[in-house]
């Protein structure tokens, strides 16, 4: 009995330590999309692509070698880079360096925040006050990177709001982006995935496709099934290979099911631990697969 209590105590200490470690990693960061909102939207709340099909069943054995995964003809994955703001200029450069190494610029979308978290930072990260960062974005756009919208200020649940408020925020976002030379947007990624039925209507009127984790909401209101997943949320260096295996396994499974594969990245998160190594290894292995023309 004493031994059992001791083991329970040790397990409890380990669990508390892990929870504290996770809190330390995130304590200095504003809320991000990985913390999926519990806000649901009428007509979409029951939609799911059943992730268990890919992640919970038939997981690759940790001892599997990457080259042992089955191969089919794939379409190249797309990369979604969230939280593109001058606040993470240095981190973005590190991510871009790896993407360029694998020639994925034309398969990468940069979701830009026009003015980042003014309740905390004021106008410090407003694009208009950061001309060097804006020039860098134009340089990336010229090399094939797509520039799209990630809200307006990225405040908490920014687009879980009324139609009028959503419309006003979109007007402000597109005007600000236009003032620094960007326009013709086609995609909208809502901060924290948070939406309301009214904000969806407002976004659709801008002819924008709304990006969500399991699906896209098209401007005509229909939904498109996708796989949009993040594998690099504060991963440790010793986790890199198994995460690459899981990502390639999901890529293989979605490819077989005809579902588009999107790899989501947060620059401020992927630079921790084994994140950048994951990106390098994942793209290296994908480039070695047979790709559909």
């Amino acid at each position: 009995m004493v031994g059992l209590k001791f083991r329970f105590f040790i397990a409890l200490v380990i669990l508390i330590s892990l929870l504290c470690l996770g809190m330390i990693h995130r304590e200095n960061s504003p809320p991000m999309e990985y913390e999926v909102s519990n806000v649901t939207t009428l007509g979409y709340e029951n939609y799911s692509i059943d992730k268990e099909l890919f992640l919970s069943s038939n997981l690759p054995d940790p001892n599997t070698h990457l080259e042992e995964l089955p191969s089919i003809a794939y379409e190249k994955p797309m990369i979604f880079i969230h939280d593109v703001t001058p606040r993470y200029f240095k981190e973005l450069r590190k991510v871009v360096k790896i993407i360029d190494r694998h020639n994925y610029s034309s398969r990468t979308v940069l979701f830009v925040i026009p003015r980042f978290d003014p309740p905390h930072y004021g106008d410090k990260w407003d694009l208009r006050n950061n001309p060097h960062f804006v020039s860098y974005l134009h340089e990336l756009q010229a090399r094939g990177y797509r520039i799209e919208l990630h809200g307006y200020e990225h405040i908490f649940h920014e687009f879980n709001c009324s139609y009028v408020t959503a419309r006003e925020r979109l007007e402000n976002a597109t005007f600000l982006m236009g003032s620094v030379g960007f326009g013709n947007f086609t995609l909208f990624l809502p901060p924290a995935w948070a939406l309301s039925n009214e904000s969806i209507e407002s976004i659709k009127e801008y002819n924008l496709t709304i990006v969500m984790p399991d699906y896209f909401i098209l401007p005509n209101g229909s939904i498109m099934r996708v796989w949009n997943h993040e594998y690099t949320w504060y991963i440790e260096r010793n986790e890199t290979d198994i995460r690459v295996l899981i990502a390639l396994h999901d890529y293989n499974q979605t490819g077989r099911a005809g579902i588009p594969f999107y790899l989501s990245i947060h620059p401020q998160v992927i630079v921790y631990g084994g994140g950048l190594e994951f990106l390098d290894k994942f793209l290296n292995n994908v480039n070695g697969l047979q790709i559909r023309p």
Side-chain angles (χ1 to χ4, degrees):
M1 179 65 70
V2 174
L4 181 61
K5 288 183 178 179
F6 179 74
R7 287 195 296 272
F8 177 77
F9 174 76
I10 293 299
L12 183 61
V13 170
I14 293 173
L15 177 60
I16 292 173
S17 299
L18 290 173
L19 288 173
C20 291
L21 183 62
M23 291 172 65
I24 291 170
H25 287 164
R26 298 180 349 185
E27 65 181 358
N28 294 321
S29 299
M32 298 172 195
E33 293 79 351
Y34 189 83
E35 302 167 8
V36 177
S37 167
N38 59 7
V39 176
T40 57
T41 53
L42 184 63
Y44 303 103
E45 66 274 90
N46 294 321
Y47 182 80
S48 171
I49 69 166
D50 190 12
K51 288 191 175 183
E52 288 77 10
L53 172 65
F54 304 111
L55 287 178
S56 299
S57 62
N58 302 317
L59 277 176
D61 188 298
N63 297 316
T64 302
H65 294 290
L66 296 178
E67 62 270 16
E68 294 176 5
L69 286 172
S71 179
I72 61 170
Y74 300 89
E75 188 161 341
K76 282 187 176 182
M78 290 286 293
I79 301 172
F80 285 166
I81 303 183
H82 304 222
D83 292 0
V84 176
T85 162
R87 172 70 175 81
Y88 305 120
F89 197 170
K90 180 174 66 175
E91 293 85 350
L92 179 62
R93 283 186 181 276
K94 292 180 180 180
V95 175
V96 166
K97 183 177 180 180
I98 294 175
I99 291 173
D100 285 347
R101 183 186 304 159
H102 296 279
N103 299 312
Y104 260 73
S105 59
S106 63
R107 303 290 296 180
T108 301
V109 181
L110 305 175
F111 285 99
V112 178
I113 306 169
R115 50 191 316 258
F116 179 57
D117 203 9
H120 290 89
Y121 302 114
D123 293 331
K124 183 175 183 179
W125 305 121
D126 188 310
L127 291 182
R128 292 167 294 192
N129 296 332
N130 292 271
H132 293 300
F133 184 75
V134 171
S135 295
Y136 180 65
L137 292 185
H138 279 292
E139 175 191 327
L140 294 181
Q141 186 180 51
R143 288 175 17 212
Y145 289 80
R146 284 177 60 181
I147 304 294
E148 299 289 355
L149 278 176
H150 189 22
Y152 175 44
E153 297 177 333
H154 203 289
I155 58 177
F156 183 67
H157 284 194
E158 184 175 43
F159 278 81
N160 177 27
C161 60
S162 69
Y163 171 90
V164 172
T165 300
R167 183 85 183 182
E168 180 181 352
R169 287 171 175 167
L170 280 171
E171 288 176 358
N172 290 338
T174 53
F175 176 81
L176 195 158
M177 292 292 284
S179 71
V180 293
F182 299 109
N184 300 317
F185 306 110
T186 59
L187 300 177
F188 181 83
L189 199 162
W193 311 117
L195 295 166
S196 69
N197 295 321
E198 292 184 52
S199 69
I200 289 175
E201 292 306 312
S202 179
I203 296 166
K204 288 193 301 184
E205 288 182 4
Y206 270 75
N207 203 34
L208 296 169
T209 293
I210 302 171
V211 175
M212 299 297 284
D214 295 345
Y215 57 93
F216 293 168
I217 304 174
L218 304 181
N220 64 7
S222 63
I223 55 178
M224 174 183 172
R225 188 177 180 179
V226 302
W227 179 263
N228 176 16
H229 193 67
E230 183 165 15
Y231 299 88
T232 49
W233 190 261
Y234 292 116
I235 65 171
E236 303 296 338
R237 292 188 182 280
N238 61 0
E239 297 179 72
T240 301
D241 286 344
I242 186 60
R243 293 294 184 99
V244 173
L245 273 172
I246 291 172
L248 289 172
H249 172 265
D250 294 342
Y251 180 47
N252 185 282
Q253 293 291 88
T254 53
R256 291 177 182 276
I259 299 171
F261 183 99
Y262 297 86
L263 180 71
S264 275
I265 291 169
H266 285 82
Q268 67 276 33
V269 173
I270 196 173
V271 296
Y272 173 85
L276 291 174
E277 183 183 3
F278 165 91
L279 180 61
D280 192 33
K281 286 187 174 182
F282 176 77
L283 293 180
N284 186 58
N285 279 275
V286 166
N287 282 339
L289 299 173
Q290 180 184 358
I291 302 295
R292 291 193 193 119

